[in-house]
């Protein structure tokens, strides 16, 4: 299966989704009733950054800086960029944004305990 056109998608989802689910669980546990507001503050910037990176990838592919081997992805392209590559940029941007949010929670808890 890893030598199929599903290889990129399977690898991407197998490491990204569990990590995002864990981050969301911790976020919901900490923010409880404010979870929606926190996600509304965190996710749009992540999506903007992910989109920016996908556009940069499009430009790099277009000028021939790199390309993607055939047969390792689904073959679905958005503006010349494989769907899996776009999802990679979006998911990693979400993970970074959620991670930074949770890191600030950790810092605020630590600062609250320091006399």
């Amino acid at each position: 299966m890893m030598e199929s056109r599903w290889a990129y998608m399977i690898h991407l989802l197998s490491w990204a989704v569990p990590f995002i689910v864990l981050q969301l669980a911790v976020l919901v546990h900490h923010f409880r009733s404010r979870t929606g507001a926190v996600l509304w503050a965190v996710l749009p910037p992540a999506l903007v950054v992910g989109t920016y990176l996908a556009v940069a990838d499009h430009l790099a592919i277009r000028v021939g800086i790199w390309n993607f081997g055939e047969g390792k992805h689904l073959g679905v392209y958005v503006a010349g960029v494989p769907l899996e590559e776009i999802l990679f940029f979006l998911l990693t941007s979400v993970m970074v944004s959620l991670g930074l949010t949770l890191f600030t929670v950790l810092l605020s808890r630590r600062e609250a305990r320091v006399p």
Side-chain angles (χ1 to χ4, degrees):
M1 184 63 120
M2 291 307 156
E3 294 299 320
S4 76
R5 62 191 192 106
W6 286 92
Y8 193 159
M9 185 67 80
I10 289 169
H11 280 98
L12 174 63
L13 296 178
S14 68
W15 65 263
V17 171
F19 196 72
I20 290 173
V21 168
L22 175 64
Q23 287 180 309
L24 288 172
V26 173
L27 189 108
V28 167
H29 175 73
H30 178 74
F31 288 105
R32 292 179 179 78
S33 65
R34 297 178 301 155
T35 299
V38 171
L39 289 175
W40 185 248
V42 169
L43 293 181
L47 297 177
V48 168
V49 170
T51 302
Y52 168 80
L53 293 170
V55 169
D57 206 33
H58 162 76
L59 295 174
I61 293 168
R62 191 168 137 208
V63 298
I65 292 175
W66 61 71
N67 59 41
F68 295 88
E70 294 301 317
K72 298 293 184 185
H73 53 83
L74 295 175
V76 176
Y77 296 87
V78 177
V81 180
L83 175 64
E84 297 90 340
E85 188 75 354
I86 293 169
L87 287 174
F88 169 79
F89 290 128
L90 293 173
L91 291 173
T92 53
S93 295
V94 166
M95 283 189 286
V96 169
S97 293
L98 291 173
L100 287 171
T101 302
L102 295 172
F103 183 70
T104 58
V105 168
L106 181 67
L107 286 179
S108 67
R109 283 185 171 181
R110 183 172 179 229
E111 288 175 1
R113 287 189 303 226
V114 175

